[in-house]
Amino acid sequence: MIDARAGDAWRPVERVRAYQHVVDQVEEQILAGALKVGDRLPGERELSARLQVSRAAVREAMRTLEAQGVVRAGVGSGPDAGTVVSAMPSEALTRLLRVHVALANFPVGDVIEARITLERSSAALAAANATRAAMSAIAAPLAAMEALEGGVDEDRRSYNDLDTTFHIAIAEAGGNRLVADMTIAIREAMRQPILASLERLGDDWPAVRRRLSEEHRGVYEAIAAGDGAAAADLVEAHIRSAHARLDGDR
Amino acid sequence: MIDARAGDAWRPVERVRAYQHVVDQVEEQILAGALKVGDRLPGERELSARLQVSRAAVREAMRTLEAQGVVRAGVGSGPDAGTVVSAMPSEALTRLLRVHVALANFPVGDVIEARITLERSSAALAAANATRAAMSAIAAPLAAMEALEGGVDEDRRSYNDLDTTFHIAIAEAGGNRLVADMTIAIREAMRQPILASLERLGDDWPAVRRRLSEEHRGVYEAIAAGDGAAAADLVEAHIRSAHARLDGDR
DNA sequence: CGCGCCATGTGGTCTGACCACATCGAGGTC
DNA sequence: GACCTCGATGTGGTCAGACCACATGGCGCG
């Protein structure tokens, strides 16, 4: 009997699907500099002719690239038409994380801890690097949240959106694109679950809202003061206490 | 003249593509618990009949879900055949990050800083949570790397692979799936660039290799001792000095 | 000169067919 | 009866060709 293990040198023929070849070739072209962000790649019909595959294969490749945020497809004619190379890692990362959070592939506790790790870093970076414009971008949602104080009670959705904007602005202010994009992806992925928690709060909402805004203000001022360590600690405390209040009494 | 801005309530008809509907429905089914990891979803022909779309649309949806690591497709018959729900966020995250790093959508410095942030966290978590099995998984590549000492010089690729395994093992040992997956994705995305840097090193390689192994040993022992703070600092120092040596004299 | 309309080219969708593959079971062989 | 062979079956993978909706830009008419 032939020992299969003796045939380690014999690996099964790699069966690469046609659309994967297309994906690879497009990536190669981008790598080689032949395609830059903003460029339109050949039409699907022309690509299928050049690569000697069916248009269906080309289209499946486009769906893969689109899911990864590498290209964007637009119909019609004009500048927005055609399939265009466009770097949208943030959106792709967000979609990816959102679906896996929704599918519960990541324990919620792990997501929160990861968020703390990233936002601590973001806050510290923001304290060190934030420009005036970036500080304004952080201050705007902060002021809007504070303006909700004393207003109607049913502003949970608005507050959640503003909170998302606030945290994203801090991440952007840090100046690290990857850290920012991962931070954004996590916060966006949590947008729905957090809103659901807010809805469950009932009458406690005004008190919680007040507390959250105070914490936001503290984070903002630490960043404005350039105190990275304090900003990091305050962000961590903010996220922890928020989740404790939202999920603790579930 | 009609002021277009007055028509904010009039949003353009949302033109949702057919395959996006398919993606949404599959995700809904998973969300609702009708589809769990490991389940096979209906065949492409049956899905297209049920959803009243063409099989091509179904297939494009599958490519999107596949790119996100939500499903896996297998031909033939039997248990591995058909399209199966399978949570593979790590692989999807790795693919996503690799392509965007390759496309230079993330500055290299940002990637390194993000890696440091995540691996600091991973190392500290590992020091606190690592099981005996996890420690063995870390020790194995460490020993293998040390065994390369004094051997042939052209082991750069092997060393790079073992280094990847080492860092991934630490991330896994921390016990936080999301942090681990992000750490893995970054290290994997850097595998090729780092190898390229190693190749550029020339005669300095043996000295660099020795230094890297010493640092690895230090990280390992800090984790084994349960000293999270030290492990985090050592990992950071390791990554910084490694990149300084690899890219500093470029 | 201005305006409307249609030719053009894009991605989006559909149909129906065939292929390669992996399994399973019916039937034959020993 | 045990074993083997080989085709039926059903899966995803691929292909060809057609039509649709859409956005533009140029042509021709008023």
Side-chain angles (χ1 to χ4, degrees):
Chain A
M1 181 180 181
I2 298 174
D3 186 342
R5 286 167 302 182
D8 270 359
W10 297 85
R11 61 172 177 76
V13 177
E14 191 147 340
R15 230 176 313 285
V16 181
R17 290 113 130 193
Y19 66 84
Q20 189 58 52
H21 277 304
V22 180
V23 171
D24 293 343
Q25 292 231 10
V26 172
E27 288 183 358
E28 270 178 41
Q29 291 297 313
I30 298 179
L31 254 282
L35 285 172
K36 296 186 295 288
V37 172
D39 288 354
R40 287 176 34 185
L41 23 76
E44 296 179 352
R45 293 162 182 82
E46 187 182 340
L47 257 187
S48 73
R50 280 204 219 175
L51 306 184
Q52 293 281 292
V53 297
S54 74
R55 201 182 148 204
V58 171
R59 285 185 59 75
E60 292 185 24
M62 292 307 122
R63 293 294 84 74
T64 296
L65 291 169
E66 198 174 54
Q68 292 180 337
V70 174
V71 304
R72 166 182 59 81
V75 294
S77 55
D80 267 23
T83 306
V84 181
V85 178
S86 57
M88 310 191 300
S90 186
E91 292 80 352
L93 211 49
T94 297
R95 283 192 298 269
L96 180 60
L97 224 61
R98 180 166 46 213
V99 62
H100 284 287
V101 164
L103 302 191
N105 290 334
F106 295 117
V108 180
D110 285 8
V111 176
I112 295 173
E113 291 300 321
R115 188 185 163 200
I116 289 171
T117 295
L118 288 168
E119 296 214 17
R120 277 188 64 95
S121 176
S122 287
L125 285 169
N129 304 329
T131 62
R132 291 176 59 94
M135 288 310 295
S136 299
I138 302 175
L142 178 62
M145 283 188 281
E146 289 173 344
L148 290 177
E149 209 64 37
V152 296
D153 275 6
E154 286 321 307
D155 53 6
R156 291 167 163 84
R157 178 178 293 274
S158 306
Y159 196 93
N160 186 36
D161 292 345
L162 289 167
D163 180 274
T164 303
T165 306
F166 176 75
H167 284 276
I168 287 179
I170 293 176
E172 301 273 16
N176 185 312
R177 277 257 45 93
L178 181 50
V179 170
D181 285 349
M182 291 192 298
T183 303
I184 292 169
I186 292 184
R187 182 59 183 85
E188 288 285 357
M190 300 286 287
R191 188 197 288 261
Q192 283 309 312
I194 286 179
L195 180 57
S197 291
L198 293 182
E199 303 286 7
R200 270 195 301 271
L201 271 182
D203 294 342
D204 294 341
W205 169 233
V208 169
R209 182 182 58 188
R210 180 183 191 81
R211 180 67 186 279
L212 291 176
S213 287
E214 289 172 1
E215 293 173 354
H216 286 153
R217 172 59 61 180
V219 170
Y220 171 78
E221 289 180 352
I223 293 175
D227 189 344
D233 289 343
L234 287 172
V235 158
E236 171 164 4
H238 165 56
I239 297 175
R240 285 199 192 285
S241 73
H243 277 102
R245 275 192 289 275
L246 295 185
D247 304 323
D249 49 351
R250 185 186 292 180
Chain B
M1 181 180 181
I2 297 173
D3 187 345
R5 286 166 301 183
D8 271 359
W10 296 85
R11 61 170 176 75
V13 177
E14 190 142 347
R15 231 173 310 283
V16 182
R17 291 112 131 193
Y19 67 84
Q20 189 57 53
H21 278 304
V22 179
V23 171
D24 292 343
Q25 291 230 12
V26 172
E27 287 183 358
E28 270 178 40
Q29 291 297 313
I30 298 177
L31 258 275
L35 285 173
K36 293 186 298 286
V37 172
D39 289 353
R40 286 178 32 185
L41 31 79
E44 297 179 352
R45 293 164 182 81
E46 186 181 342
L47 258 188
S48 73
R50 281 205 218 173
L51 305 184
Q52 293 280 291
V53 296
S54 74
R55 202 183 149 206
V58 171
R59 285 184 58 74
E60 293 186 21
M62 291 307 122
R63 292 295 82 76
T64 296
L65 291 169
E66 198 174 54
Q68 293 180 336
V70 174
V71 305
R72 165 182 58 82
V75 294
S77 55
D80 267 22
T83 306
V84 181
V85 178
S86 58
M88 312 193 316
S90 186
E91 291 80 352
L93 210 49
T94 298
R95 281 193 298 268
L96 180 60
L97 226 60
R98 181 166 45 213
V99 61
H100 283 288
V101 165
L103 302 192
N105 290 333
F106 295 117
V108 179
D110 285 8
V111 176
I112 295 173
E113 289 301 320
R115 188 183 164 202
I116 289 170
T117 296
L118 287 168
E119 294 213 19
R120 278 188 65 94
S121 175
S122 286
L125 284 169
N129 305 331
T131 62
R132 290 177 58 94
M135 288 310 295
S136 300
I138 301 174
L142 179 61
M145 282 187 282
E146 290 173 343
L148 289 179
E149 209 63 39
V152 294
D153 276 5
E154 285 322 307
D155 52 5
R156 290 168 164 85
R157 177 177 293 275
S158 306
Y159 197 93
N160 187 35
D161 291 345
L162 289 167
D163 181 273
T164 302
T165 306
F166 176 75
H167 285 277
I168 287 178
I170 294 176
E172 301 272 15
N176 185 311
R177 278 258 42 95
L178 181 50
V179 170
D181 285 350
M182 291 192 298
T183 303
I184 293 169
I186 291 184
R187 183 58 182 87
E188 288 284 358
M190 299 286 289
R191 188 196 288 260
Q192 284 310 312
I194 286 179
L195 180 58
S197 291
L198 292 182
E199 303 288 6
R200 271 196 299 270
L201 269 182
D203 293 343
D204 294 341
W205 169 234
V208 169
R209 182 181 60 188
R210 180 183 190 82
R211 179 68 186 277
L212 290 176
S213 287
E214 289 171 2
E215 293 173 353
H216 286 154
R217 172 60 61 178
V219 170
Y220 172 78
E221 289 180 353
I223 293 174
D227 188 345
D233 289 343
L234 288 171
V235 159
E236 172 165 4
H238 166 57
I239 296 176
R240 284 197 192 286
S241 73
H243 278 102
R245 274 192 290 277
L246 295 186
D247 304 322
D249 50 351
R250 186 187 292 181

Coordinates of all heavy atoms in Angstrom, one line a residue, chain A residues 2 6 26 31 51 59 89 117 142 144 152 158 171 179 182 200-201 230 236 249:
Chain A
I2 N 0.4 2.2 -0.8 CA 1.2 3.4 -0.8 C 0.9 4.3 0.4 O -0.3 4.5 0.7 CB 0.9 4.2 -2.1 CG1 1.2 3.3 -3.3 CG2 1.6 5.5 -2.1 CD1 0.8 3.9 -4.6
A6 N 4.0 9.8 2.3 CA 5.3 9.8 1.6 C 5.2 10.8 0.4 O 6.2 11.2 -0.2 CB 5.6 8.4 1.1
V26 N -6.1 42.2 -11.2 CA -6.4 43.5 -10.9 C -5.5 44.1 -9.8 O -4.9 45.2 -9.8 CB -7.9 43.7 -10.5 CG1 -8.1 45.1 -10.0 CG2 -8.8 43.4 -11.6
L31 N -0.8 47.1 -7.8 CA 0.6 47.0 -7.2 C 1.6 47.6 -8.1 O 2.5 48.3 -7.7 CB 0.9 45.5 -7.0 CG 0.8 45.1 -5.5 CD1 2.1 45.6 -4.8 CD2 -0.4 45.7 -4.9
L51 N -8.8 38.9 -20.5 CA -8.4 37.9 -19.6 C -8.9 36.5 -20.1 O -8.7 35.5 -19.4 CB -8.9 38.2 -18.2 CG -8.4 39.5 -17.6 CD1 -8.9 39.7 -16.2 CD2 -6.9 39.7 -17.7
R59 N -17.4 39.7 -13.1 CA -18.3 40.4 -12.2 C -18.1 39.8 -10.8 O -18.2 40.6 -9.8 CB -19.7 40.2 -12.7 CG -20.0 41.2 -13.8 CD -21.5 41.1 -14.2 NE -22.4 41.5 -13.1 CZ -22.5 42.7 -12.7 NH1 -21.9 43.7 -13.3 NH2 -23.4 42.9 -11.7
P89 N -10.9 51.4 2.8 CA -10.7 50.3 3.8 C -11.6 50.5 5.1 O -12.1 49.5 5.6 CB -9.3 50.5 4.2 CG -8.9 51.9 3.8 CD -9.8 52.2 2.7
T117 N -8.7 49.2 24.1 CA -7.3 49.2 23.7 C -7.1 50.3 22.6 O -6.2 51.1 22.7 CB -6.9 47.9 23.2 OG1 -6.9 46.9 24.3 CG2 -5.5 47.9 22.7
L142 N -19.9 67.0 20.6 CA -19.9 67.2 22.1 C -21.0 68.2 22.5 O -21.8 68.0 23.4 CB -18.5 67.5 22.6 CG -18.4 67.8 24.1 CD1 -18.7 66.5 24.9 CD2 -17.0 68.2 24.4
A144 N -23.4 69.3 20.7 CA -24.7 68.9 20.3 C -25.3 67.9 21.3 O -26.5 68.0 21.6 CB -24.7 68.2 18.9
V152 N -36.2 66.8 25.1 CA -37.1 65.6 25.2 C -36.3 64.4 25.5 O -35.1 64.3 25.4 CB -37.8 65.4 23.8 CG1 -38.7 66.6 23.5 CG2 -36.7 65.2 22.7
S158 N -30.5 59.9 18.4 CA -29.7 61.1 18.1 C -28.4 61.1 18.9 O -27.3 61.3 18.4 CB -30.4 62.4 18.4 OG -31.7 62.4 17.7
A171 N -10.8 59.5 17.0 CA -9.9 58.5 16.3 C -9.2 59.2 15.1 O -8.0 59.0 14.9 CB -10.7 57.3 15.8
V179 N -5.3 52.7 13.0 CA -6.0 52.7 14.3 C -7.3 53.4 14.2 O -8.3 52.9 14.8 CB -5.1 53.5 15.4 CG1 -5.8 53.7 16.6 CG2 -3.8 52.7 15.6
M182 N -9.8 51.1 12.4 CA -10.3 50.0 13.3 C -11.2 50.5 14.4 O -12.2 49.8 14.7 CB -9.1 49.3 13.9 CG -8.3 48.5 12.8 SD -7.0 47.4 13.5 CE -6.0 48.5 14.4
R200 N -33.4 49.9 26.2 CA -33.8 49.1 27.3 C -33.7 49.9 28.6 O -34.2 49.5 29.6 CB -32.9 47.9 27.4 CG -33.4 46.7 26.7 CD -32.6 45.4 27.1 NE -31.2 45.6 26.9 CZ -30.6 45.2 25.8 NH1 -31.2 44.7 24.8 NH2 -29.3 45.3 25.7
L201 N -33.0 51.1 28.6 CA -32.8 51.8 29.8 C -34.0 52.3 30.5 O -34.1 52.4 31.8 CB -31.8 53.0 29.6 CG -30.3 52.7 29.7 CD1 -29.5 53.9 29.4 CD2 -30.0 52.0 31.0
A230 N -4.0 61.1 30.7 CA -5.3 61.3 31.3 C -6.4 61.0 30.3 O -7.4 60.4 30.6 CB -5.4 62.8 31.7
E236 N -11.0 55.1 28.8 CA -11.2 53.8 29.2 C -12.3 53.7 30.3 O -13.3 52.9 30.2 CB -10.0 53.2 29.8 CG -10.2 51.8 30.5 CD -8.9 51.0 30.8 OE1 -7.8 51.5 30.5 OE2 -9.1 49.9 31.2
D249 N -27.5 46.2 34.2 CA -28.8 45.9 34.8 C -29.7 45.3 33.7 O -30.9 45.5 33.7 CB -29.4 47.2 35.3 CG -29.3 48.3 34.3 OD1 -28.7 48.1 33.2 OD2 -29.9 49.3 34.5

